[in-house]
Amino acid sequence: EAQVTQNPRYLITVTGKKLTVTCSQNMNHEYMSWYRQDPGLGLRQIYYSMNVEVTDKGDVPEGYKVSRKEKRNFPLILESPSPNQTSLYFCASSLLSGHGNSPLHFGNGTRLTVT
Amino acid sequence: GQQVMQIPQYQHVQEGEDFTTYCNSSTTLSNIQWYKQRPGGHPVFLIQLVKSGEVKKQKRLTFQFGEAKKNSSLHITATQTTDVGTYFCRDDKIIFGKGTRLHILP
C-alpha cells in the first residue's frame, strides 16, 4: 500500500532532550516536506527536500534539522526541543519537485509535547 | 511573502444546509489544490484546478477556479456529518491557507 509513515504518533519529552521523528515513503517520490500544525495558524512548512541530498528551509525552520540521505526517508531532528515546539507534525511527499503541481500525500502525524 | 487568504475560519451549519469556503490570492496562480482534514486525521488531497474558470465536481462538492485565477471556492451541497473537518487550499507556491473548519449541527 502506498503510504507515508511517520513515527512515533505521540511523543512527550523534556526540554533539551534531542529527538528524531522519522518519515518514510514507499512511492518513490522526489519531494518531501515537514509541516507543523498549530491552532489558528494552519499548516506551516518547516523544511522541504526536492531530492536526495537537497534540503531547504521552509517558513519556520528555527530549532529543526533534516536530512535526505535516501530518497524514501526524511527524518526531522530537534537537537534541543523547547516548549514552543509542542505541536502536531506532519510529513508529506509528492511525486514531482516544483511548486504545488503534484498532490501531497501526508503521514498520520506526530503529536509532540515538550515540557 | 505570498499567501492565500482563506475565509471563513469557522463555519457552523445545520445538517442539510450548504457550505462554501473561499481562497483568495493577491497574485495570479498557475494552479490551486484543495485538501480535507478530518478531526484527528491528516490532510487528504481532494482536487487540483488549473484552468481559468474551471469547475469540477465530486458528488456534492463543487470546486471553482476564478476567471482571473486569483481565487477559488469549494461548495458543499446539503452537508452531511461526514463532511465535518477542516478544508485547506494550497497555492502554486506550496503555501497552505489557514483552513476553514466546518462543524455540522445535527
Side-chain angles (χ1 to χ4, degrees), chain B residues 28-32 49-56 63-73:
Chain B
T28 301
L29 303 173
S30 60
N31 63 78
I32 194 161
L49 304 171
V50 179
K51 299 176 183 177
S52 169
E54 187 170 17
V55 178
K56 287 188 176 180
F63 304 84
Q64 293 191 1
F65 204 7
E67 293 289 342
K69 300 183 73 174
K70 289 186 175 181
N71 53 70
S72 181
S73 65

Side-chain angles (χ1 to χ4, degrees), chain B residues 4-91:
Chain B
V4 285
M5 303 301 295
Q6 197 170 348
I7 55 171
Q9 190 174 0
Y10 301 97
Q11 184 86 57
H12 297 256
V13 300
Q14 292 281 347
E15 188 174 5
E17 291 183 339
D18 293 356
F19 159 78
T20 305
T21 174
Y22 301 89
C23 218
N24 300 305
S25 171
S26 58
T27 60
T28 301
L29 303 173
S30 60
N31 63 78
I32 194 161
Q33 297 176 348
W34 285 93
Y35 293 76
K36 176 185 178 180
Q37 183 179 20
R38 295 180 185 273
H42 59 275
V44 174
F45 173 77
L46 294 176
I47 209 159
Q48 176 167 288
L49 304 171
V50 179
K51 299 176 183 177
S52 169
E54 187 170 17
V55 178
K56 287 188 176 180
K57 292 190 175 184
Q58 292 179 351
K59 298 183 180 178
R60 294 176 296 102
L61 277 61
T62 302
F63 304 84
Q64 293 191 1
F65 204 7
E67 293 289 342
K69 300 183 73 174
K70 289 186 175 181
N71 53 70
S72 181
S73 65
L74 159 58
H75 179 82
I76 303 178
T77 304
T79 54
Q80 301 175 358
T81 55
T82 54
D83 296 324
V84 166
T86 302
Y87 294 84
F88 294 96
C89 60
R90 178 191 179 215
D91 69 15

Side-chain angles (χ1 to χ4, degrees), chain A residues 9 31 35 37 40-43 45 59 88 90 98-104 106-108, chain B residues 9 30-31 33 35 37 40-43 45 48 88 90-98:
Chain A
R9 289 294 307 276
Y31 182 88
Y35 295 88
Q37 186 174 32
L41 297 178
L43 290 157
Q45 191 175 47
D59 297 320
L88 177 59
F90 287 103
H99 301 290
N101 291 322
S102 296
L104 278 174
F106 283 83
N108 287 332
Chain B
Q9 190 174 0
S30 60
N31 63 78
Q33 297 176 348
Y35 293 76
Q37 183 179 20
H42 59 275
F45 173 77
Q48 176 167 288
F88 294 96
R90 178 191 179 215
D91 69 15
D92 57 0
K93 300 299 185 291
I94 63 175
I95 296 174
F96 281 90
K98 292 187 177 180

Side-chain angles (χ1 to χ4, degrees), chain A residues 72-86:
Chain A
R72 63 184 293 124
N73 296 321
F74 191 46
L76 179 69
I77 303 158
L78 284 71
E79 293 273 4
S80 182
S82 62
N84 64 12
Q85 292 178 298
T86 292

